[in-house]
Amino acid sequence: MAEPLILLPDILCDARQFGPQLAELSSEHAMMVMPLGGSGRMADLAEEVLARAPKQFALVGSGMGGVVAMEIASRAPDRLSRMALISTSPLQESPFGAMAYEPMLVAARAGRLAEIVSQLFDVTVEDLDGQLLPLMQDMAANIGVDRFVNQVRALQRHRDMQSILRKCGCPVQVICGEEDGLIPLKRHQIMTEFLTDGELSVIAGAGHVPTLQNPSAVTQALRHWMSRPLMLR
């Protein structure tokens, strides 16, 4: 029987980030989406997921969700059957990168949360015939300012995850939008090279949100990942 599948969305995103994949895969797998932001510490976010997760599960993390997934891989490797990392990076935030979030927090607290979305995800009103940006903004409004602050603090403080990837023994699918301007393809290629059992799927015509920009290709990559044999540990 296929293992249950847990999906962790990106910063300011809810289950709708994985809407097309939920529609296609939910008949094949038990699936659960866990939006993040209940704490400002990456360790706490990982423990919240583990407290609600089945004994063993497959894990998909996008963006910030991918960082939490790597933290989970460090804390409970025996519970992870496989992992997929979408549009994410194991690198610790540089001081400059961490400070870049501060004007966003000021804007969010001033009621301008919607303005932050295009900057965070590199999406414009032209994307998907004007449908993507309003959806991303609506997800951001649903997450809210308080959870956004927690998400930012967790990202600013998280540790470097490269050593975790080097130790990871389960099948890992790295998924990257071909046109991702925030975490470029080269960085995803290097991340894949760290992995004992890693594969890279490059999603044509997609940027930083491939689950929505080319959903069928992401779904195909996830189906392939779920069919990969498990390594003996």
Side-chain angles (χ1 to χ4, degrees):
M1 179 180 289
E3 59 268 45
L5 190 56
I6 292 178
L7 301 98
L8 306 180
D10 203 347
I11 188 171
L12 284 180
C13 290
D14 57 27
R16 287 172 287 178
Q17 184 185 10
F18 298 109
Q21 290 74 44
L22 289 167
E24 288 291 324
L25 298 175
S26 59
S27 63
E28 305 167 24
H29 306 279
M31 302 178 74
M32 180 187 303
V33 182
M34 297 187 187
L36 306 167
S39 169
R41 296 178 66 247
M42 201 61 67
D44 292 342
L45 297 177
E47 290 298 335
E48 287 175 11
V49 173
L50 287 167
R52 297 174 57 193
K55 184 176 180 180
Q56 190 169 53
F57 56 94
L59 186 60
V60 180
S62 178
M64 177 183 180
V67 181
V68 177
M70 288 181 265
E71 182 70 31
I72 290 170
S74 172
R75 291 172 173 270
D78 292 341
R79 292 181 62 182
L80 273 189
S81 59
R82 60 187 79 230
M83 181 167 63
L85 302 172
I86 305 173
S87 304
T88 194
S89 170
L91 299 180
Q92 186 176 24
E93 285 284 0
S94 68
F96 177 81
M99 284 301 298
Y101 285 110
E102 294 302 322
M104 300 183 198
L105 294 179
V106 172
R109 288 167 172 148
R112 305 199 310 274
L113 191 60
E115 298 176 14
I116 298 166
V117 172
S118 59
Q119 181 180 357
L120 269 176
F121 294 97
D122 194 26
V123 295
T124 68
V125 292
E126 289 81 17
D127 285 321
L128 298 184
D129 296 325
Q131 298 177 27
L132 181 59
L133 183 56
L135 172 59
M136 302 293 292
Q137 290 172 329
D138 197 57
M139 287 194 288
N142 184 45
I143 296 299
V145 174
D146 290 343
R147 292 178 75 85
F148 175 58
V149 172
N150 283 342
Q151 291 174 337
V152 166
R153 295 307 182 212
L155 285 171
Q156 287 175 320
R157 301 164 179 162
H158 82 79
R159 57 178 168 152
D160 189 276
M161 304 288 190
Q162 294 176 86
S163 63
I164 296 171
L165 292 181
R166 294 182 189 277
K167 296 174 184 176
C168 188
C170 68
V172 180
Q173 198 74 27
V174 178
I175 299 175
C176 169
E178 184 180 30
E179 301 169 10
D180 191 337
L182 299 177
I183 305 178
L185 173 58
K186 182 64 176 177
R187 195 178 300 180
H188 288 87
Q189 291 170 330
I190 293 171
M191 180 167 63
T192 307
E193 292 171 1
F194 291 161
L195 297 160
T196 300
D197 188 11
E199 291 185 7
L200 174 64
S201 296
V202 181
I203 307 301
H208 193 63
V209 198
T211 56
L212 296 173
Q213 293 166 322
N214 190 345
S216 60
V218 173
T219 301
Q220 181 179 356
L222 291 176
R223 275 203 176 101
H224 165 73
W225 163 67
M226 290 296 289
S227 71
R228 288 169 56 190
L230 297 176
M231 295 179 65
L232 296 177
R233 303 189 202 180

